[in-house]
């Protein structure tokens, strides 16, 4: 199986990361990775076609949000939290906190001036 290109942390682009996080399916994939750790490329409960799911993983990988490694015939995906936090401090935490607040039905506090 061929190795998939993945950017180095110093090459992360804020616009690409924000684009990758700007889709509800990709946000759900990131939320699951943050909660559960490593997963296969076809996690249970995601109800999109496999080709669409592959495209979502590609966008996340090319932006540097996830890393993909091969284990036998399986591709395993992990969240690049440390790399993201080093390059874009606080971004992933803010996104995951917002997702958690939305899931729990709590209003999101507005920033103070």
């Amino acid at each position: 199986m061929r190795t998939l290109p993945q950017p180095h942390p110093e090459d992360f682009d804020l616009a690409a990361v924000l684009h990758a996080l700007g889709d509800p399916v990709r946000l759900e994939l990131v939320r699951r990775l943050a909660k559960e750790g490593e997963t296969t490329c076809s996690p249970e409960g995601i109800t999109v076609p496999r080709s669409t799911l592959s495209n979502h993983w590609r966008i996340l990988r090319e932006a540097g949000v996830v890393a993909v490694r091969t284990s036998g015939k399986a591709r395993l995906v992990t969240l690049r939290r440390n790399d993201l936090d080093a390059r874009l401090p606080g971004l992933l935490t803010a996104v995951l906190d917002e997702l958690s607040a939305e899931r729990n039905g709590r209003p999101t506090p507005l920033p103070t001036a």
Side-chain angles (χ1 to χ4, degrees), residues 4-111:
L4 300 172
Q6 301 176 85
H8 295 285
E10 61 271 9
D11 296 329
F12 289 177
D13 177 65
L14 178 60
V17 172
L18 291 174
H19 169 73
L21 296 174
D23 179 89
V25 173
R26 292 192 292 268
L27 280 173
E28 177 61 17
L29 293 170
V30 168
R31 186 196 66 77
R32 286 181 180 207
L33 285 173
K35 181 179 178 188
E36 300 167 9
E38 193 169 64
T39 186
T40 64
C41 287
S42 297
E44 291 185 28
I46 301 292
T47 58
V48 297
R50 288 185 76 166
S51 60
T52 302
L53 189 56
S54 292
N55 188 53
H56 286 306
W57 286 127
R58 180 189 59 79
I59 291 168
L60 288 166
R61 177 182 44 80
E62 288 178 354
V65 177
V66 300
V68 179
R69 71 178 181 87
T70 303
S71 177
K73 291 185 177 183
R75 286 199 170 141
L76 301 172
V77 184
T78 56
L79 186 60
R80 293 180 69 178
R81 185 174 208 132
N82 292 338
D83 291 337
L84 284 165
D85 287 343
R87 180 73 170 108
L88 304 166
L91 176 66
L92 190 58
T93 299
V95 168
L96 292 172
D97 286 351
E98 176 64 23
L99 287 174
S100 179
E102 285 179 5
R103 285 188 151 248
N104 293 328
R106 294 187 319 247
T108 305
L110 297 174

